[in-house]
């Protein structure tokens, strides 16, 4: 899922931490430096010489039927996982390692069976593996960029009633219009950066750490030693997948009522449980904690302690003074407003800082690249590779071979420009019929600015590995919402515009990451583009169907204390409300606190970047701290348990932890995530769990006993 935070894990494998709402990378310097070191070491040990004797298939042969069948199966699996995470906390770790491992395993098993039966016509190559990776990531990524836990669900009547602004308009989810909307807006970003692929990958030599890490992973799978390790990793993933699935199945039997089951175990006592401090036995978030860097997990826990341990209990004492004493707990005129808008202030402060930071780095980097290009001399020879750029320095054997294959299959510029214009015109004509609040000229302005923003996001991702898709989406909420105004459906217009913008800029950076991966694995740009298009098309159907299953199976989807609270749907709608109505509707002192935390978020980032990296890495991340302000710290405790498990494992056996840590974490996430499918089917069929396991205080239990059995 390349829609948010991307980074490398503790042993160099890819870990795109899709703290999907963050739009920033927690430790970009670490990621970039590690891959720069890897590329410097490449001259000593040539990767391409290992594969020199193997024929590179044509771009058409890289696109096999079996690759897309496997991609489709994995897309369904990962769409369920991403959807569950999206609708619970919004923290989505990378599943790239899982996609790579499972893709390798399924096709390798397939080809092995065909080989033994004598029907194998084409061996499994790293190029085909790259196609699977690209297709799965593109498809399951729609589960995030489709807005099912953010802007799209934020339009619904259920979220509108929670926010207290249903009179401002709403649009309930429907399978038909969601699929249509995604098909209209999800492909434009792919065409916007195609003409720039050579400039980004070869001329500017942008790092794209996530794409580079993915390529190294795939290359390693297809060496004899890497294939053996991959098989062991798949076995480990399978064991913990089975454990996680069976554990979730076991827990289901005890959830036959509200607040029942292991997930409501008052680990630290009933008072702490009241403020959401407890361990909920979630295999998913233990796995997430094993994948995410330690600073992310600690930041989330600190945010939970600050909000639910200190601030909310103090603000509760002001009931009747700062806000009415008789309002519902979920009312946006009570404590809920402080929870939501202070979190929004932190997210906006952090997002603004990182937007300015990445934009400045992008512009300065671009200026240096262009200046370097114009002052290049003929000392940069291309004799060894006639297809290389005249501005490219003398290349290593690996670079020569990769450049030759990368430039072999061109995608015509007229095709990219024509495709963009046709899709933009079609979208401009169709979207106002889906959202009458979104005028055609709003869309035209977005599509006019989109190529520039898509380039900035793709270039910034290449330099820093940061994707600011959600930040650009928030920018669209405020600008289009304010332009439309409250009287003309500004809230829905802003949320719809957010979806348009997010899909464009996120798919643009995704495709350039894929081009980098393809460059390093000798995969054709054409096969990368086509697999991204096919994966996106799969996602436009699979993700809405998965969401629709959740939406119909769980009547309390989106409610604060439900199994699937979809917290960022409320946050995004609150942003739209803020953009349209301003701050007049906020409770007393809420605005002051918002200003304070907005400033603190910027200040913490300034301090973090000002300190030496050895000290700065210990400074918590404001965006991560903001997530539990609304949700509570229970999932942070799960994540810290995962961190603790990995920390101890690394101290006991660092080699095994490095080789199998991500596989164990992915198994825990996948098993629990796929349980969402049978649990949804059971809920739709009306099959309820047989037991309600609830935890009561001794005094309450005594009252219940007296009520049931008499005095």
């Amino acid at each position: 899922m390349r829609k948010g935070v991307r980074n490398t894990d503790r042993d160099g494998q890819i870990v795109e931490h899709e703290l999907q709402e963050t739009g920033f990378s927690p430790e970009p310097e670490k990621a970039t430096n590690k891959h720069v070191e890897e590329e410097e070491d490449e001259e000593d040990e040539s990767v391409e010489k290992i594969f020199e004797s193997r024929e590179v298939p044509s771009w058409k042969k890289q696109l096999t039927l079996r690759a897309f069948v496997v991609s489709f199966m994995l897309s369904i699996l990962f769409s369920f996982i991403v959807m569950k995470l999206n609708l619970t906390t919004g923290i989505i770790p990378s599943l790239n390692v899982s996609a790579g491992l499972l893709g390798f395993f399924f096709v390798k098993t397939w080809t092995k069976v065909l080989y033994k039966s004598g029907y194998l016509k084409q061996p499994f190559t790293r190029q085909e593996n790259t196609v699977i990776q690209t297709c799965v990531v593109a498809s399951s990524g729609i589960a995030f960029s489709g807005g099912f836990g953010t802007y799209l669900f934020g339009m619904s009547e259920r979220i509108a009633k929670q926010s207290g602004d249903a009179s401002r308009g709403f649009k309930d989810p429907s399978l038909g219009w969601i699929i249509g909307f995604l098909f209209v807006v999800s492909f434009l970003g792919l065409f916007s950066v195609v003409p720039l692929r050579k400039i980004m990958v070869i001329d500017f030599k942008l790092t794209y750490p996530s794409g580079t890490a993915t390529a190294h992973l795939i290359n390693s799978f297809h060496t004899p030693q890497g294939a053996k390790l991959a098989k062991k990793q798949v076995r480990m993933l399978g064991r913990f997948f089975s454990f996680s699935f069976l554990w979730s199945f076991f827990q289901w039997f005890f959830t036959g009522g509200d607040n029942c089951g292991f997930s409501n175990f008052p680990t630290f006592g009933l008072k702490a449980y009241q403020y959401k401090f407890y361990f909920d036995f979630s295999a998913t978030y233990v796995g997430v904690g094993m994948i995410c860097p330690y600073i992310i997990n600690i930041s989330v826990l600190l945010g939970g302690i600050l909000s639910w341990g200190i601030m909310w209990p103090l603000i509760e004492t002001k009931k009747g003074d700062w806000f009415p004493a008789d309002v519902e707990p979920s009312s946006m005129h009570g404590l809920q407003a402080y929870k939501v808008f202070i979190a929004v202030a932190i997210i906006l402060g952090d997002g603004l800082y990182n937007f300015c930071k990445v934009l400045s780095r992008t512009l300065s980097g671009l200026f240096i690249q262009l200046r370097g290009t114009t002052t290049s001399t003929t000392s940069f020879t291309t004799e060894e590779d006639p297809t290389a750029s005249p501005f490219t320095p003398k290349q290593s054997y690996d670079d020569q071979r990769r450049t030759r294959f990368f430039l072999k299959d061109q995608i015509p510029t007229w095709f990219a420009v024509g495709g963009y214009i046709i899709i933009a015109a079609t979208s401009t004509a169709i979207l106002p019929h889906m959202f009458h609040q979104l005028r055609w000229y709003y869309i035209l302005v977005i599509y006019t600015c989109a190529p520039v923003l898509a380039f900035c996001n793709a270039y910034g991702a290449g330099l820093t590995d940061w994707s600011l898709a959600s930040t650009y989406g928030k920018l669209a909420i405020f600008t289009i919402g304010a332009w439309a105004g409250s009287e003309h459906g500004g809230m829905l217009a802003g949320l719809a515009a957010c979806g348009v913008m997010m899909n464009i800029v996120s798919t643009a950076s995704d495709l350039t990451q894929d081009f980098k991966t393809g460059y390093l694995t000798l995969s054709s740009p054409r096969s990368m583009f086509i697999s991204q298009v096919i994966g996106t098309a799969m996602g436009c159907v699979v993700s809405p169907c998965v969401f629709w299953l959740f939406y119909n199976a769980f009547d309390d989807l989106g409610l604060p204390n439900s199994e699937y609270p979809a917290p960022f749907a409320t946050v995004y709608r609150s942003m739209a409300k803020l953009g349209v109505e301003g701050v007049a509707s906020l409770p007393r002192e809420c605005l002051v606190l918002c200003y304070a935390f907005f400033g603190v978020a910027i200040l913490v980032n300034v301090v973090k970047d000002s300190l030496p990296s050895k000290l700065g890495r210990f400074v918590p991340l404001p965006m991560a701290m903001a997530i539990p302000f609304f949700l509570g710290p229970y999932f942070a405790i799960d994540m810290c348990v995962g961190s603790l498990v990995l920390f101890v494992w690394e101290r006991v056996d660092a080699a095994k932890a490095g080789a199998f840590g991500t596989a164990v974490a992915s198994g825990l996430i996948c098993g629990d995530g796929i349980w969402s499918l049978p649990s949804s089917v059971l809920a739709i069929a009306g099959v309820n769990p047989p037991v309600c396991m609830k935890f009561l205080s001794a005094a309450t239990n005594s009252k219940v006993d007296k009520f049931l059995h008499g005095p």
Side-chain angles (χ1 to χ4, degrees), residues 26 32 94 101 128 184 193 200 202 252 261 314 340 347 357 377 394 445 450 471 482 509 565 588 599 603 635:
T32 305
S94 167
L101 278 172
E128 189 178 356
V184 167
V193 292
M200 299 283 208
I202 296 177
W252 175 81
L314 289 175
V340 172
I347 290 170
K357 177 182 171 182
T377 66
K394 186 175 181 179
V445 169
T471 304
S509 63
R588 183 181 164 189
L603 180 62
F635 68 93

Side-chain angles (χ1 to χ4, degrees), residues 217-249:
L217 186 71
I218 291 172
N219 283 336
S220 71
F221 284 164
H222 292 267
T223 61
Q225 298 84 358
K228 289 179 182 177
L229 178 60
K231 288 178 182 177
K232 292 179 181 178
Q233 289 173 327
V234 169
R235 284 195 211 104
M236 185 70 79
L237 188 151
R239 287 193 202 111
F240 281 88
F241 176 94
S242 302
F243 166 77
S244 180
F245 182 86
L246 293 173
W247 171 240
S248 299
F249 179 44

Side-chain angles (χ1 to χ4, degrees), residues 204 362-375 459:
F204 288 173
T362 300
L363 294 177
S364 62
L366 182 60
F367 174 75
I368 291 169
Q369 292 279 11
L370 292 174
R371 188 179 179 186
T373 299
T374 56
T375 57
Y459 189 89

Side-chain angles (χ1 to χ4, degrees), residues 504-539:
I504 292 172
V505 297
S506 66
T507 52
S509 63
D510 284 355
L511 183 59
T512 50
Q513 290 272 12
D514 291 331
F515 281 145
K516 181 69 174 184
T517 304
Y519 170 78
L520 294 171
T521 59
L522 301 191
S523 303
S524 168
R526 289 187 185 180
S527 66
M528 292 294 91
F529 180 78
I530 293 171
S531 61
Q532 183 89 13
V533 170
I534 292 174
T536 301
M538 286 181 187

Side-chain angles (χ1 to χ4, degrees), residues 61 74 86 107 121 171 311 342 349 414 454 469 476 513 540 660:
K61 289 185 177 180
L74 292 178
N86 220 355
V107 179
K121 295 182 179 179
K171 188 177 180 67
M311 289 179 58
I342 291 175
W414 64 263
Q513 290 272 12
C540 290
F660 299 106

Side-chain angles (χ1 to χ4, degrees), residues 649-668:
W649 193 2
E650 286 177 336
R651 293 300 172 271
V652 173
D653 191 340
K656 268 197 171 180
F660 299 106
T662 305
V664 169
S666 299
L668 292 173

Side-chain angles (χ1 to χ4, degrees), residues 343-534:
V344 168
I346 297 172
I347 290 170
L348 292 178
D350 190 274
L352 177 65
Y353 175 85
N354 283 291
F355 174 78
C356 294
K357 177 182 171 182
V358 174
L359 186 62
S360 64
R361 286 187 180 182
T362 300
L363 294 177
S364 62
L366 182 60
F367 174 75
I368 291 169
Q369 292 279 11
L370 292 174
R371 188 179 179 186
T373 299
T374 56
T375 57
S376 296
T377 66
T378 55
S379 62
F380 293 157
T381 180
T382 60
E383 291 178 3
E384 293 176 338
D385 183 4
T387 62
S389 166
F391 306 117
T392 304
K394 186 175 181 179
Q395 297 175 320
S396 66
Y397 173 79
D398 282 4
D399 283 341
Q400 289 179 45
R401 193 161 191 250
R402 288 165 178 168
T403 301
R404 185 169 68 253
F405 278 96
F406 189 76
L407 297 177
K408 181 181 176 183
D409 298 318
Q410 295 293 320
I411 302 174
T413 302
W414 64 263
F415 173 78
V417 174
Y420 187 90
I421 293 172
I422 291 170
I423 294 175
T426 305
S427 179
T428 304
I430 293 175
L431 283 176
H433 294 284
M434 291 184 173
F435 305 95
H436 66 270
Q437 301 89 348
L438 193 64
R439 309 296 185 189
W440 65 268
Y441 42 89
Y442 301 161
I443 305 167
L444 188 61
V445 169
I446 292 173
Y447 287 161
T448 303
C449 300
V452 176
L453 298 178
F455 168 77
C456 289
N457 196 45
Y459 189 89
L463 288 176
T464 65
D465 217 24
W466 294 353
S467 174
L468 296 175
S470 60
T471 304
Y472 287 112
K474 295 180 186 87
L475 182 66
I477 289 178
F478 286 109
T479 53
I480 300 300
W483 186 4
S486 178
E487 299 301 320
H488 298 91
M491 289 183 67
L492 286 184
L495 290 168
C498 172
V500 175
M501 183 64 77
M502 273 184 67
N503 277 281
I504 292 172
V505 297
S506 66
T507 52
S509 63
D510 284 355
L511 183 59
T512 50
Q513 290 272 12
D514 291 331
F515 281 145
K516 181 69 174 184
T517 304
Y519 170 78
L520 294 171
T521 59
L522 301 191
S523 303
S524 168
R526 289 187 185 180
S527 66
M528 292 294 91
F529 180 78
I530 293 171
S531 61
Q532 183 89 13
V533 170
I534 292 174

Side-chain angles (χ1 to χ4, degrees), residues 72 75-76 78-80 82-84 86-87 138-149 151-153 172-187 434 503 535-553 557 680 684:
F72 182 70
S75 295
I76 296 173
F78 291 129
S79 292
F80 268 99
V82 173
M83 194 67 68
K84 178 176 180 177
N86 220 355
L87 296 173
S139 178
S140 55
I142 297 292
F144 164 67
S145 63
F148 301 102
Y151 63 86
L152 190 144
F153 193 36
D172 276 326
S174 169
L175 195 58
W177 76 257
I178 292 175
I179 292 175
F181 173 75
L182 292 177
F183 266 106
V184 167
V185 302
S186 296
F187 295 92
M434 291 184 173
N503 277 281
T536 301
M538 286 181 187
C540 290
V541 177
V542 172
S543 290
C545 291
V546 171
F547 173 74
W548 195 242
L549 186 62
F550 275 87
Y551 187 72
N552 285 285
L557 182 73
S680 300
I684 291 172

